[in-house]
Amino acid sequence: GQNIDQPTEMTATEGAIVQINCTYQTSGFNGLFWYQQHAGEAPTFLSYNVLDGLEEKGRFSSFLSRSKGYSYLLLKELQMKDSASYLCAVKGNAGKSTFGDGTTLTVKP
Amino acid sequence: DVKVTQSSRYLVKRTGEKVFLECVQDMDHENMFWYRQDPGLGLRLIYFSYDVKMKEKGDIPEGYSVSREKKERFSLILESASTNQTSMYLCASSLLASGELFFGEGSRLTVL
């Protein structure tokens, strides 16, 4: 089975750095995705990790440790538009992904 | 530009009605998926398909069926809608190799 845990809510201040954690226990692992979802919109792809280590893309970075079943999404220089839900998803077999419940991030001025 | 289109953004149906949700992608993706999204429960996989006429059950297939007659089109069918199927339904597609999901805008279904 799949068990993916991430915090339900987080709050941070504009300009700050925030780290959103995701832990997983899955029967098959072929990579981990992070998606961003603004209220009322569809999720959109942010990052993908298949090997251990840090992937950096502008203000966003994602880290993976396969031995620990752990990933985090790091958002730097927070902006108001970063207020959204952040979804951690594990890619299993046959290309299907299982999602955590999502973390709702609120950025305050 | 990549596009996944869902036929209806908002639907209101009555208990017992048959409901069709249509999804079309223009990216020649092999895989297509139907998820439902409910507050506090995240995205849950209903069914997916990795090829024409192929389908696999996801985590919550009960009360649903699917059809994939053409590569670009994946339909979700509720044979007899019930109030607990009130939800946001998201269609997605991906290349078999990458797994990165491209989502449609979603269909919000209310069953009265």
Side-chain angles (χ1 to χ4, degrees), chain A residues 8 16 21-22 39 64 66-67 77 93:
Chain A
T8 303
N21 296 324
C22 172
L64 175 67
R66 289 172 296 171
S67 62
E77 301 169 17
N93 299 324

Side-chain angles (χ1 to χ4, degrees), chain A:
Chain A
Q2 317 280 53
N3 189 37
I4 301 170
D5 289 315
Q6 48 181 133
T8 303
E9 294 179 334
M10 297 184 73
T11 302
T13 305
E14 194 175 15
I17 299 172
V18 71
Q19 178 175 311
I20 303 174
N21 296 324
C22 172
T23 58
Y24 63 89
Q25 293 174 303
T26 59
S27 55
F29 181 86
N30 291 294
L32 189 142
F33 292 94
W34 284 95
Y35 292 86
Q36 181 190 58
Q37 186 178 24
H38 284 102
E41 298 181 10
T44 55
F45 170 81
L46 281 179
S47 68
Y48 175 61
N49 294 70
V50 64
L51 299 176
D52 290 352
L54 190 68
E55 293 280 341
E56 295 185 83
K57 191 187 293 186
R59 293 189 299 114
F60 293 5
S61 304
S62 57
F63 172 82
L64 175 67
S65 169
R66 289 172 296 171
S67 62
K68 295 182 179 178
Y70 169 68
S71 173
Y72 66 74
L73 180 70
L74 193 70
L75 292 75
K76 301 176 187 175
E77 301 169 17
L78 279 172
Q79 302 176 9
M80 298 300 290
K81 67 179 182 179
D82 297 329
S83 291
S85 287
Y86 292 87
L87 312 177
C88 170
V90 171
K91 179 182 172 185
N93 299 324
K96 68 172 190 171
S97 289
T98 300
F99 285 80
D101 291 348
T103 299
T104 300
L105 174 66
T106 302
V107 180
K108 295 188 173 180

Side-chain angles (χ1 to χ4, degrees), chain B residues 67-86:
Chain B
S67 172
R68 193 163 181 204
E69 296 297 317
K70 294 184 178 181
K71 189 175 185 179
E72 67 271 19
R73 187 178 297 270
F74 192 37
S75 303
L76 180 69
I77 303 149
L78 289 67
E79 292 289 342
S80 177
S82 62
T83 55
N84 63 12
Q85 292 178 310
T86 292

